[in-house]
């Protein structure tokens, strides 16, 4: 994790939406925050212990399993998918696997290029390094392992040696660990992925038969950053805070930025800033995180947003709104909106505030790993 100067503020936004006044100089000194493990203290370098996640309350029904089982066919034998409630199934055709990225038109990309004002470039990725990772600890730490070093004789047969050597790595990176993009096959509900593809098209050996990260591909688009801590005059939103559509609309209005069809929506909660401060102080980070509520999903759908990113672990608030992964289900499964998680948005937010703009050009390129459920990304925002 990158280090950052500690922040100071007088208010925090609480989980019930009210703002609690305090004169804290230490933004992480939150009393009463339950520890995820119940243990009073932990090593700075120990991973966060995630609690056992509850099983979904939507079991895969036998009649929903199997490729196209239960889907009616039209007169030419093409699958007509059951519509998802308030979602995008079928909108870009029965075989579509790119979802809301289809909202990004070439004309929109050209317009997005005109968003560049200062020419400053911001990486939105966390450093990929062994060590403490924001939730979830079962994903493990990334590893850079040396394959050959310049002192090895690997290339002697190629007339290496002497004053010429070579260093090479093997990288082992969990696809949903640090800054990453969720493929549309990441989450299923009632046995279906986005566009109604059966969840059993995902196999252990081959991965996703449908909606893998390779189907999303690289994209560039106009992005809008909504800096909620700045909007609420707080260093970060409280763990568990449920961001509403009204919060997003109010923040956009205050920032004077218009959200357009095809835009990427970047939501800053301050979670990673709080996480760093807690990590540095040796406290136990809470498993609770601020994030989008189901109410905020309406904002995303109504504005035809192509992709949502945030500086938290799951875009959505934890504890989850309504049910396990409810916002993932509403965005990934029902709407086909890919998610960008653990984005480092603080430098971008500061740069944008200085530049007096909250829109920019965003370029994102997931690794084209066939059948993968997600990919590490290094998104680039150009202001
Ligand atoms: C979950 O929230 C389960 O995964 P991700 O953080 O990759 O969205």
């Amino acid at each position: 994790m990158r280090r950052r100067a500690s922040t100071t503020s007088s208010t925090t936004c609480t989980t019930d939406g009210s703002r609690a006044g305090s004169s804290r100089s230490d933004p992480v000194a939150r009393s009463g925050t339950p520890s995820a493990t119940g243990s009073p203290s932990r090593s700075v370098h120990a991973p966060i212990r995630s609690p056992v996640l509850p099983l979904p309350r939507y079991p895969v029904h036998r009649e929903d399993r199997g490729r196209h089982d239960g889907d009616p066919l039209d007169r030419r034998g093409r699958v007509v998918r059951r519509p998802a409630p308030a979602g995008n199934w079928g909108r870009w055709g029965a075989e579509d696997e790119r979802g809301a990225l289809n909202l990004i038109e070439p004309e929109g990309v050209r317009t997005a290029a005109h968003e560049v004002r200062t020419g400053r470039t911001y990486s939105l990725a966390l450093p990929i390094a062994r060590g403490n990772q924001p939730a979830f600890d079962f994903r493990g730490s990334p590893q850079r392992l040396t394959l050959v070093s310049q002192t090895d004789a690997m290339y002697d047969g190629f007339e290496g040696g002497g004053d010429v050597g070579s260093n090479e790595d093997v990288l082992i990176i969990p696809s949903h660990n640090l800054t990453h993009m969720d493929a549309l096959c990441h989450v299923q509900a009632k046995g279906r992925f986005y566009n109604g593809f059966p969840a059993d098209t995902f196999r252990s050996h081959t991965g996703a038969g449908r909606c893998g990260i390779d189907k999303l591909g690289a994209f560039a688009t106009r992005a809008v950053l909504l800096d909620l801590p700045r909007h609420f005059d707080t260093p970060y939103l409280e763990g568990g805070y449920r961001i509403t559509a009204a919060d997003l609309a109010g923040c956009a209005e205050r920032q004077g930025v218009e959200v357009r069809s095809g835009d990427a929506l970047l939501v800053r909660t301050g979670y990673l800033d709080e996480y760093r401060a807690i990590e540095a102080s040796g406290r136990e980070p809470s498993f609770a995180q601020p994030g989008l509520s189901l109410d905020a999903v309406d904002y995303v759908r109504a504005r035809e947003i192509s992709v949502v990113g945030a500086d938290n672990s799951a875009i959505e608030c934890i504890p989850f709104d309504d049910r396990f992964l409810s916002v993932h289900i509403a965005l990934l499964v029902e709407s086909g909106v890919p998610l960008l998680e653990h984005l480092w948005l603080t430098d971008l937010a500061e740069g944008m505030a200085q530049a007096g703009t909250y829109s920019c050009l965003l370029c994102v390129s997931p690794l084209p790993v066939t059948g993968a459920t997600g990919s590490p990304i290094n998104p680039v925002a150009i202001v």
Side-chain angles (χ1 to χ4, degrees), residues 136 139 176 180 182 186-187 313-314 320 324-325 328 339 341:
F136 303 88
R139 290 175 176 160
H176 294 263
H180 68 275
D182 285 355
H186 175 43
V187 167
S313 298
F320 298 103
F324 178 63
L325 290 178
H328 271 66
L339 307 177
E341 292 159 335

Side-chain angles (χ1 to χ4, degrees), residues 130-154:
R130 277 192 226 190
N132 208 359
Q133 316 303 322
F136 303 88
D137 59 301
F138 68 86
R139 290 175 176 160
S141 187
Q143 295 184 59
R144 185 215 59 78
L145 305 175
T146 299
L147 180 67
V148 293
S149 85
Q150 59 207 351
T151 56
D152 297 335
M154 288 298 298

Side-chain angles (χ1 to χ4, degrees), residues 126-336:
L126 296 171
I128 299 174
R130 277 192 226 190
N132 208 359
Q133 316 303 322
F136 303 88
D137 59 301
F138 68 86
R139 290 175 176 160
S141 187
Q143 295 184 59
R144 185 215 59 78
L145 305 175
T146 299
L147 180 67
V148 293
S149 85
Q150 59 207 351
T151 56
D152 297 335
M154 288 298 298
Y155 290 114
D156 280 0
F158 300 91
E159 298 178 1
D163 60 353
V164 179
S166 165
N167 299 309
E168 296 178 24
D169 305 313
V170 174
L171 306 178
I172 302 174
I173 306 174
S175 57
H176 294 263
N177 185 315
L178 290 156
T179 305
H180 68 275
M181 180 167 174
D182 285 355
L184 298 181
C185 67
H186 175 43
V187 167
Q188 59 92 2
K190 295 185 177 167
R192 300 279 166 163
F193 295 136
Y194 160 72
N195 219 7
F197 293 115
D200 63 4
T201 50
F202 188 95
R203 306 273 178 193
S204 299
H205 179 56
T206 48
R210 289 291 195 167
C211 297
I213 196 76
D214 50 312
K215 304 291 175 44
L216 291 177
F219 66 91
T221 191
R222 179 179 184 266
V224 165
L225 173 74
L226 297 183
D227 188 352
L228 289 169
R230 177 176 272 262
H231 177 53
F232 287 123
D233 189 24
T234 182
Y236 49 80
L237 308 185
E238 287 279 347
Y241 181 77
R242 296 169 177 213
I243 297 167
T244 64
D247 289 340
L248 298 176
C251 183
E253 190 181 345
R254 186 141 168 221
Q255 291 181 184
V257 66
E258 183 195 356
V259 179
R260 303 179 192 150
S261 172
D263 280 358
L265 179 69
L266 306 179
V267 180
R268 181 166 176 265
T269 69
Y271 168 73
L272 284 178
D273 302 82
E274 184 198 17
Y275 177 86
R276 286 179 173 191
I278 291 176
E279 184 196 24
S281 72
R283 293 170 195 268
E284 176 83 28
S286 167
F287 192 65
Q289 296 189 19
L292 298 195
S293 66
L294 277 174
D295 183 67
V297 169
D298 292 342
Y299 181 94
V300 174
R301 286 177 170 162
R303 283 156 186 80
E304 304 245 288
I305 284 161
S306 59
V307 55
V308 177
D311 61 347
N312 59 10
S313 298
I315 303 291
E316 57 191 295
C317 54
I318 300 174
F320 298 103
D321 198 356
D322 185 38
R323 63 171 171 163
F324 178 63
L325 290 178
S326 56
V327 172
H328 271 66
I329 292 165
L331 290 179
L332 273 181
V333 180
E334 295 174 358
S335 311

